[in-house]
Amino acid sequence: ETRTAVSCCGVEATPKEPAEVRDGVARMAAVFKALSDETRLRILRSLLRSERPLCECELVPSFGLSQSTISYHLKVLREAGLVDVDRRGVWGYYRVEPRTLLGVVRHLTEMA
């Protein structure tokens, strides 16, 4: 006889999630964390509205923040996979990574 594990309140415990599900959730959490900052959302919006990749030097005057602060926010967005960068000398030209954004929307839709 197979017995089902029972957790509190007599409700059957759900089986442990597969590793790929846990990894996917962890990736989405990193993306949501990157999106949880107002400045990063504004940077992402600027990149989405641009017809070409933007140099970080072009973003600095628009936000009234130091170049190092903008660079930090771009790094967080890049590490989350939300933007991609093309290095040209000392400057980075950033564009939105649409597959990641679509993945966020798809993930939220699947959760609903």
Side-chain angles (χ1 to χ4, degrees):
E1 168 184 0
T2 304
R3 299 187 81 186
T4 305
V6 177
S7 58
C8 76
C9 306
V11 176
E12 292 181 10
T14 57
K16 190 174 180 180
E17 292 178 319
E20 61 271 6
V21 172
R22 288 192 309 273
D23 292 345
V25 170
R27 281 193 303 277
M28 281 297 104
V31 169
F32 290 130
K33 185 175 180 178
L35 292 172
S36 70
D37 182 87
E38 181 181 338
T39 299
R40 289 192 286 270
L41 283 173
R42 290 176 54 219
I43 289 171
L44 200 61
R45 184 175 182 211
S46 294
L47 294 172
L48 282 165
R49 290 183 171 189
S50 177
E51 294 181 11
R52 60 178 176 77
L54 292 178
C55 178
E56 52 190 284
C57 67
E58 294 175 280
L59 292 166
V60 171
S62 303
F63 289 89
L65 300 169
S66 70
Q67 188 271 330
S68 62
T69 300
I70 294 296
S71 288
Y72 167 75
H73 287 298
L74 287 166
K75 175 186 170 200
V76 172
L77 291 169
R78 191 180 70 249
E79 288 175 349
L82 290 162
V83 299
D84 193 23
V85 62
D86 177 28
R87 293 277 176 206
R88 300 177 198 165
V90 296
W91 295 107
Y93 288 80
Y94 291 83
R95 64 185 171 284
V96 173
E97 178 53 64
R99 288 179 290 175
T100 303
L101 279 182
L102 292 173
V104 169
V105 172
R106 186 180 66 247
H107 189 76
L108 286 174
T109 303
E110 290 170 355
M111 289 176 62

